[in-house]
Amino acid sequence: MTIPPAPAPASDLFALLARLPGSYAGPTRAEEAPHAIVGVGEATLAVQLAETLVAVNFTRTGTQFVLDSADAGDAARTFAELAEVAGAKVRRISTGGSASEIDVLVPGGPLATYHFAQFLAHATGHGEQAQAADALLTDLAYRCAPSVEQDNPARDLAWSLWGRTPLLLAAPDAEALPQAWQSLLARIGKTLSIPVMGDPLPFVTGAFEAQHEKGDGKIALLLGDADPALMVAREILDSRIDEVMHVPYFQEEVGGYAAQLGLWYFGAWVAAYLAERYEQSPNDLAILRRAQAVLSGEAAEDTLNAPREDVRRTPIIKDWRDEDSDSAELDDGEDFDGEDFDEDVDEDDE
């Protein structure tokens, strides 16, 4: 299936999303079992999605996978050292860091989850699921591309989310999805969403009881397969918030790794279109780039840096302000609108 060519998008992230399926270029051999996985930084979401493949975090034998991004290298190094002392073979997968410590380098950025996850699928002996995931993502790329103006599910859902605060719910076997979508909607879509974790019934029955008006401007998304508890939660939410929508797995998938990675990918498309609706760039903000640079430390000669898929890497800045800015002329309160604050207070008082 050929993905239709997209018109020049407002951001290169749309083009990156379209090219993502099948772009994994890392090793595909299975490592020695048993397997255990721990992840920090930009690898956190991939590890959560891969729990359908391997739900063990630490092992004393076999292979211990430690996934991280350059800004979380210290924590990853500690995990790797503990695993080595325990007797496991350690494989470090990262977006950057010391060349002597990294076994596999993957691209960083908001789409790093795909590369981390596909590595884990292959390395844990689930290559067929990695292929199934790529097939599903390819179909979604065809349906969600910017050139598809009619019946584009990602653009349509972004319209429904525009101006609203999403509540994100999923069944226990897909609890990675609410956190994944929260991250995507924040990082790419520049919007706030609320993941509802654990038993949804105490939340949906009580959250809007004392303040009914808080249900205004809210939309609930039921991600993946809906279990009986979610169906009851939906009935309750129907009377408390604006709208409840079910976002099922695609191609009639019934859960598992490929289905969940596909729904993560769909969420990335939705977030990109939502940023477009808000006239925001889906690329990472400068403040995030600077924070990650500070945590990564100064670059050294033996430091690796994978190409940034969203072209968001900028020179490391030691301070939060641009070096060419005159800090004395900056008004720390210029982002604070006093009139808007007064209006907010008046609305709260009402």
Side-chain angles (χ1 to χ4, degrees), residues 109-253:
L111 305 184
T113 295
Y114 165 80
H115 299 282
F116 279 122
Q118 289 292 77
F119 167 83
L120 289 175
H122 285 291
T124 58
H126 298 89
E128 73 287 349
Q129 294 201 42
Q131 295 174 6
D134 272 332
L136 179 57
L137 266 60
T138 298
D139 177 67
L140 280 169
Y142 180 84
R143 298 170 61 184
C144 298
S147 58
V148 181
E149 298 181 356
Q150 299 294 328
D151 297 325
N152 184 323
R155 182 181 279 124
D156 292 344
L157 183 54
W159 267 96
S160 297
L161 299 183
W162 184 54
R164 292 165 157 178
T165 300
L167 306 177
L168 309 171
L169 301 90
D173 60 354
E175 62 181 5
L177 291 176
Q179 297 182 55
W181 273 58
Q182 182 193 41
S183 178
L184 291 168
L185 292 174
R187 186 170 184 174
I188 298 176
K190 307 302 184 289
T191 58
L192 171 69
S193 58
I194 303 171
V196 179
M197 308 305 296
D199 182 1
L201 297 181
F203 176 86
V204 301
T205 55
F208 307 102
E209 196 66 19
Q211 296 175 299
H212 298 285
E213 70 280 0
K214 296 297 183 181
D216 297 338
K218 300 289 190 302
I219 179 173
L221 300 182
L222 310 184
L223 304 172
D225 292 332
D227 65 0
L230 279 184
M231 296 307 296
V232 173
R234 176 171 192 164
E235 293 183 16
I236 297 170
L237 284 171
D238 277 333
S239 64
R240 284 164 168 76
I241 64 175
D242 286 352
E243 188 176 0
V244 182
M245 297 183 65
H246 184 205
V247 185
Y249 295 123
F250 289 87
Q251 292 186 349
E252 298 182 354
E253 294 281 347

Side-chain angles (χ1 to χ4, degrees), residues 310-328:
D310 57 353
V311 199
R312 69 185 181 86
R313 175 62 69 187
T314 59
I316 292 177
I317 298 175
K318 295 181 180 179
D319 199 355
W320 294 109
R321 301 180 186 276
D322 292 331
E323 292 180 354
D324 58 353
S325 298
D326 184 355
S327 59

Side-chain angles (χ1 to χ4, degrees), residues 1 23 40 43 55 68 141 156 173 208 220 224 240-241 248 261 274 288 342:
M1 180 180 294
S23 65
V40 290
D68 69 282
D156 292 344
D173 60 354
F208 307 102
R240 284 164 168 76
I241 64 175
L261 189 64
L274 190 57
L288 175 59
D342 291 339

